[in-house]
């Protein structure tokens, strides 16, 4: 590649990066501005102050909302990893009648919009008495068709002869799953964990339906509550809360970017 083409390529990459990151950078700058500076359309605050961050934590129980989101996201992530890995193992290594048909029916649920299942799920949760409960925010999301599909593609790269040899050696299926399958599928498991955490962390509509008090509400509801209150004109405070909320997701994406890219393509080529 010539120097001109290489320079032009880097110019395009840097330009698109700036365009994509500008909303986040601008929100970060607004979080240090006073109300007047925001209305004046300034890009950089005259004086950097943490007053907006202090107000964000004092106006609403933002720290409690953050804990709720973190707890719910971790529980859902662990639940999806356990359920999806066990289901994928069954679909690959345990032969039973109608296995492929059942798998395709299971995967076909990915084509059903979440909005179509929201009302039945809400009625089920309501009858179980899980309103304003962590169980309504976690258990309905343990079974994930995408996660099962992703791990099944990874498990299929493991030779079936290895599983048969373990059976001859007297190794139980669960021990084979725990000590052989999971270690060699670490990248796909990390990928699914990151995807699960980010999806749950950014969830808004379902927590809004199944919670109506501050005890178990997540941080996305807290942001909307902050905007709906008297703070609607205090964009500095709102953007400070937004930066606090998106910071964990940015850190997770930065740390797990390579695993995420590799895991999504690992099972594509056998």
């Amino acid at each position: 590649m010539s120097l001109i083409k290489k320079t032009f390529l880097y110019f395009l990459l840097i330009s698109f990066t700036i365009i994509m990151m500008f909303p986040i950078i601008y929100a970060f700058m607004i979080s240090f501005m006073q109300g007047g500076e925001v209305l004046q359309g300034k890009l950089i605050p005259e004086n950097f102050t943490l007053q907006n961050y202090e107000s964000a934590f004092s106006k609403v129980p933002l720290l409690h909302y953050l804990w709720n989101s973190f707890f719910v996201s971790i529980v859902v992530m662990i639940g999806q990893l356990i359920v999806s890995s066990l289901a994928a193992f069954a679909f690959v290594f345990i032969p039973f009648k109608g296995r492929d048909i059942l798998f395709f029916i299971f995967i076909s649920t990915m084509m059903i919009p979440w909005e179509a299942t929201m009302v039945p799920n809400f009625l089920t949760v309501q009858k179980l008495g899980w309103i304003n409960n962590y169980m309504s925010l976690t258990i309905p999301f343990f079974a994930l068709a995408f996660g099962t599909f992703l791990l099944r593609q990874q498990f299929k790269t493991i030779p079936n002869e290895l599983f048969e040899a373990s059976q001859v050696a007297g190794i139980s299926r669960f021990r084979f799953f725990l000590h052989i399958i999971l270690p060699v599928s670490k990248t796909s498991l990390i990928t699914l964990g990151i995807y699960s955490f980010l999806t749950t962390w950014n969830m808004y509509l379902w927590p809004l339906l199944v919670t109506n008090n501050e005890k178990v509400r997540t941080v996305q509801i807290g942001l909307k509550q902050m905007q709906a209150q008297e703070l609607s004109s205090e964009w500095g405070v709102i953007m400070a809360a937004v930066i606090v909320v998106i910071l964990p997701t940015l850190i997770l994406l930065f740390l797990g970017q390579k695993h995420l890219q590799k895991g999504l393509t690992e099972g594509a080529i056998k």
Side-chain angles (χ1 to χ4, degrees):
M1 183 181 294
S2 64
L3 180 61
I4 297 177
K5 290 183 177 180
K6 191 174 183 179
T7 303
F8 180 70
L9 178 61
Y10 277 103
F11 173 76
L12 287 179
L13 291 174
I14 293 173
S15 300
F16 284 119
T17 301
I18 293 175
I19 293 174
M20 293 179 63
M21 293 297 297
F22 177 76
I24 298 177
I25 296 174
Y26 187 48
F28 180 73
M29 291 299 176
I30 290 178
S31 67
F32 295 101
M33 293 183 186
Q34 301 297 326
E37 294 178 313
V38 178
L39 296 177
Q40 293 173 10
K42 293 184 178 181
L43 296 178
I44 300 177
E46 294 181 358
N47 297 311
F48 285 84
T49 176
L50 296 177
Q51 181 63 40
N52 290 330
Y53 288 90
E54 296 176 0
S55 299
F57 280 95
S58 61
K59 297 294 184 181
V60 297
L62 188 60
L63 189 62
H64 183 67
Y65 289 153
L66 286 169
W67 161 250
N68 287 338
S69 289
F70 182 78
F71 176 77
V72 169
S73 299
I74 289 294
V75 172
V76 171
M77 180 185 70
I78 295 174
Q80 288 187 0
L81 286 174
I82 294 174
V83 174
S84 297
S85 59
L86 289 173
F89 179 82
F91 282 127
V92 175
F93 292 103
I94 301 178
F96 56 89
K97 189 176 181 180
R99 182 179 66 176
D100 294 337
I101 296 176
L102 181 61
F103 174 73
F104 285 118
I105 294 175
F106 185 70
I107 291 300
S108 66
T109 59
M110 295 174 62
M111 297 183 291
I112 302 176
W114 162 246
E115 291 77 9
T117 61
M118 188 176 300
V119 173
N121 286 336
F122 176 78
L123 294 176
T124 302
V125 166
Q126 189 180 42
K127 289 184 178 181
L128 292 173
W130 289 356
I131 301 297
N132 291 321
N133 196 297
Y134 285 119
M135 289 188 290
S136 64
L137 296 170
T138 56
I139 294 179
F141 303 98
F142 282 1
L144 182 68
F146 170 75
T148 303
F149 173 77
L150 178 68
L151 295 181
R152 178 180 178 270
Q153 294 301 106
Q154 166 61 27
F155 292 175
K156 287 179 68 176
T157 62
I158 301 173
N160 193 58
E161 292 78 9
L162 186 62
F163 176 69
E164 294 174 352
S166 69
Q167 296 295 292
V168 173
I171 299 176
S172 65
R173 290 174 176 174
F174 184 74
R175 186 179 177 187
F176 176 80
F177 166 77
L178 193 63
H179 295 286
I180 298 178
I181 298 296
L182 294 185
V184 301
S185 305
K186 182 174 64 174
T187 301
S188 295
L189 292 171
I190 294 175
T191 301
L192 179 58
I194 294 174
Y195 172 83
S196 172
F197 185 92
L198 294 178
T199 303
T200 308
W201 182 273
N202 294 319
M203 194 178 300
Y204 171 75
L205 187 55
W206 180 252
L208 183 64
L209 286 175
V210 299
T211 61
N212 51 36
N213 59 44
E214 298 178 353
K215 181 181 178 182
V216 295
R217 276 193 162 174
T218 57
V219 73
Q220 304 298 336
I221 311 299
L223 286 178
K224 186 61 179 178
Q225 177 183 344
M226 180 180 295
Q227 186 178 1
Q229 290 177 352
E230 71 277 359
L231 300 173
S232 58
S233 60
E234 299 183 21
W235 289 107
V237 179
I238 296 174
M239 290 304 168
V242 169
I243 293 299
V244 172
V245 171
I246 67 174
L247 189 60
T249 61
L250 292 177
I251 295 175
L252 187 61
L253 281 174
F254 178 77
L255 296 177
Q257 182 179 7
K258 291 184 178 180
H259 290 287
L260 191 62
Q261 293 175 346
K262 185 179 178 181
L264 290 175
T265 59
E266 195 170 52
I269 301 176
K270 188 173 181 179

